Amino acid sequence: MDKLKQFLTDYNLDFKNKTIIVACSAGPDSLALVDMLKNWPLKLIVAHFDHQIRQDSYLETELLGQYCKQNDLPLYVKKWKNNQNKTEAAARKARYSFLLALAKEKQADYLLTAHHGDDYLENIILKLIRSGDPAEMSSLQAVGQMEGVKLVRPLLYYSKGELTKYLLDKHLAFITDETNLTNENLRNRIRHQLIPLLKEENPTILKNGRTFGQKMMAYQGVIRHAFSAIKLEQVAGSLRIKKSLLASYTDAERALFWEWQIWQYYNERVHLEKWQSGIYRILEYQNYVYLFKGQPKFVEKSSIKLNQPFIFQGRKYVITNQVLPQANLIGSFLAQKGNLKVGSAISGSKLPLKNGHHAKSKKFFAQAAIPNILRPAILCLYQNETIVFIEDVYKNQKCANDFIKYYVFLVN
């Protein structure tokens, strides 16, 4: 069984009678993939994205046009019109935007790219050099999804040399991107200098690279299942969890837990050192552990109107005298009919109690396990300079016949 068929067997894939789009650059890797599939019982579509970075990039389109015409294959070409931001990241984004749109338009079963075993190993080494984050080591997945489109890299069992030899043996023309021949960037230096040395040390290094990547994906799956089962509580734009839920974890495991949560909630890869990384900070307070993004600033009092939404610390609220079925009720309180103001709780504020006495706001914040750093971010409502409501912390305890009920909602 050849390596392509072995790949499909190993990953339980069946291309028979499927609509397959192959992203093809006219280079040896993608052209070899197209040629391997051209006689299979499937609907094969060739997609080419012309970056127009090199002046002779039109030659790729011409070569693919000739090949596809000779083999009766449909070819779709997109030229990149961007003349300002032609970076590697921007090119990748534009290329995949075209490929995914075409896949959806043609209702393709699979979108194939021609990443091979050398690419896979290069990717692992590149991520090791740049970040060392295990979560990034398996980013070049054999089978995955992107915007609902099934993405497959079926050449991972092949080396670059095997694919080039395949085309040479069949006397098929291909185009080599000259920018890949220099050692100006890190990836090329890894490709030309490091990978050959590794292959000399161990001829099975490409297989080992795939094994490493597969294991890392498995580890990430275990982490995802374990960590996603631990639910975090959102408090005024921050996240917290009871310390007891992480009590059995080592410090390294707790750091991994919070790094994973930052990735899930904020889509940023970070490495925590002394429980901090940039704007992110982990803090223990009473029986909780908090994750903060930035530090909330104190908000001065300002008037708000009943039934009209307002923004406080990036969140949208509305105060009403009646229940709103579609909104998220976060609390209610009794107070006189009159103007309300919103702001952060002033340090040292005293809150009225049922017995006519007062207690400092810090007592209620402490009872609710809200640390000092987070207190300015907690919604606080004033009436006649008296605090009548603090989200999740306090509501007016005094009562009179002329008091009415207010509802506080968080709205989208």
Side-chain angles (χ1 to χ4, degrees):
M1 182 181 292
D2 66 37
K3 292 183 177 181
L4 180 55
K5 291 180 180 178
Q6 183 64 58
F7 175 92
L8 298 182
T9 299
D10 289 349
Y11 286 92
N12 195 29
L13 297 172
D14 184 6
F15 285 175
K16 186 176 181 180
N17 299 326
K18 303 295 186 182
T19 299
I20 306 291
I21 293 179
V22 176
C24 191
S25 66
D29 316 326
S30 54
L31 198 58
L33 178 56
V34 171
D35 198 72
M36 289 177 186
L37 294 173
K38 68 179 182 181
N39 294 321
W40 285 28
L42 50 80
K43 181 180 179 182
L44 183 60
I45 298 173
V46 181
H48 175 62
F49 188 79
D50 183 357
H51 297 88
Q52 296 196 100
I53 295 176
R54 305 191 322 278
Q55 291 184 348
D56 61 352
S57 65
Y58 68 92
L59 296 175
E60 297 173 349
T61 304
E62 289 183 359
L63 187 149
L64 284 175
Q66 294 171 2
Y67 176 89
C68 290
K69 183 177 181 180
Q70 291 171 0
N71 293 279
D72 195 25
L73 294 174
L75 170 65
Y76 292 84
V77 178
K78 173 77 172 181
K79 289 186 177 181
W80 196 21
K81 301 297 184 181
N82 184 355
N83 293 317
Q84 302 296 325
N85 185 32
K86 289 195 173 182
T87 63
E88 183 178 346
R92 183 183 185 279
K93 182 178 180 181
R95 181 171 66 253
Y96 274 100
S97 177
F98 158 64
L99 293 171
L100 293 171
L102 181 63
K104 292 173 184 177
E105 177 189 338
K106 300 301 180 182
Q107 298 182 321
D109 296 286
Y110 298 103
L111 169 62
L112 274 52
T113 66
H115 295 95
H116 47 73
D118 289 74
D119 290 328
Y120 198 88
L121 185 59
E122 288 169 16
N123 191 63
I124 291 173
I125 296 172
L126 194 63
K127 296 297 175 63
L128 179 63
I129 293 172
R130 288 178 174 172
S131 72
D133 189 339
E136 296 186 7
M137 297 298 177
S138 58
S139 59
L140 202 62
Q141 297 181 25
V143 181
Q145 282 207 4
M146 186 177 289
E147 296 183 14
V149 176
K150 293 180 180 178
L151 182 62
V152 181
R153 298 180 173 96
L155 295 184
L156 293 182
Y157 288 8
Y158 291 86
S159 68
K160 174 76 172 183
E162 288 175 313
L163 297 173
T164 302
K165 185 177 183 301
Y166 172 90
L167 293 183
L168 293 175
D169 288 347
K170 300 193 74 172
H171 305 288
L172 291 173
F174 57 87
I175 293 177
T176 300
D177 185 347
E178 292 183 357
T179 61
N180 290 331
L181 301 178
T182 69
N183 286 329
E184 293 182 2
N185 61 58
L186 177 58
R187 182 179 289 276
N188 283 2
R189 291 194 293 275
I190 292 171
R191 178 178 300 163
H192 299 148
Q193 299 173 2
L194 183 56
I195 298 296
L197 289 176
L198 294 175
K199 288 181 177 179
E200 284 183 17
E201 290 293 331
N202 185 356
T204 67
I205 188 66
L206 296 188
K207 181 180 179 181
N208 291 351
R210 292 199 308 273
T211 299
F212 177 82
Q214 290 166 355
K215 294 289 186 183
M216 293 309 300
M217 285 183 61
Y219 293 149
Q220 291 302 312
V222 172
I223 289 172
R224 182 173 63 254
H225 289 303
F227 289 170
S228 61
I230 303 175
K231 301 303 180 184
L232 302 184
E233 179 185 359
Q234 297 199 38
V235 181
S238 297
L239 300 167
R240 75 178 184 183
I241 188 175
K242 288 188 175 180
K243 290 168 60 175
S244 59
L245 294 176
L246 301 179
S248 64
Y249 286 20
T250 65
D251 282 352
E253 290 166 346
R254 280 194 286 269
L256 184 61
F257 172 82
W258 288 113
E259 289 168 359
W260 187 85
Q261 297 295 349
I262 291 169
W263 169 246
Q264 296 304 303
Y265 281 91
Y266 303 113
N267 198 32
E268 288 192 55
R269 298 285 189 191
V270 302
H271 175 63
L272 292 172
E273 293 185 0
K274 296 182 178 180
W275 305 107
Q276 285 187 293
S277 178
I279 61 175
Y280 297 101
R281 178 182 175 188
I282 309 300
L283 174 69
E284 290 189 6
Y285 182 73
Q286 296 188 18
N287 294 323
Y288 289 91
V289 185
Y290 281 85
L291 165 61
F292 298 100
K293 182 182 181 183
Q295 183 165 342
K297 294 183 179 179
F298 184 88
V299 177
E300 298 289 345
K301 289 182 291 184
S302 61
S303 296
I304 57 173
K305 292 184 179 180
L306 210 60
N307 302 316
Q308 291 190 12
F310 63 92
I311 303 295
F312 177 79
Q313 298 285 28
R315 304 182 298 279
K316 183 185 289 187
Y317 296 87
V318 65
I319 313 296
T320 75
N321 293 132
Q322 54 188 339
V323 176
L324 302 178
Q326 303 302 319
N328 178 23
L329 177 65
I330 63 167
S332 63
F333 62 94
L334 296 173
Q336 295 175 329
K337 185 178 181 180
N339 294 331
L340 293 171
K341 291 184 178 181
V342 62
S344 299
I346 298 173
S347 179
S349 296
K350 293 186 177 181
L351 310 180
L353 306 177
K354 281 184 179 180
N355 59 12
H357 297 295
H358 292 78
K360 289 186 177 181
S361 59
K362 67 178 183 180
K363 175 183 177 181
F364 287 89
F365 277 119
Q367 289 175 344
I370 306 296
N372 286 329
I373 187 177
L374 186 57
R375 293 174 188 179
I378 306 294
L379 177 73
C380 182
L381 298 173
Y382 294 80
Q383 191 175 67
N384 300 324
E385 305 306 317
T386 299
I387 294 176
V388 291
F389 178 83
I390 304 176
E391 184 178 347
D392 296 325
V393 172
Y394 168 85
K395 63 180 178 180
N396 185 25
Q397 297 184 8
K398 295 180 66 177
C399 188
N401 291 334
D402 62 340
F403 279 16
I404 60 176
K405 192 168 187 178
Y406 293 89
Y407 297 93
V408 185
F409 291 95
L410 192 62
V411 296
N412 295 327

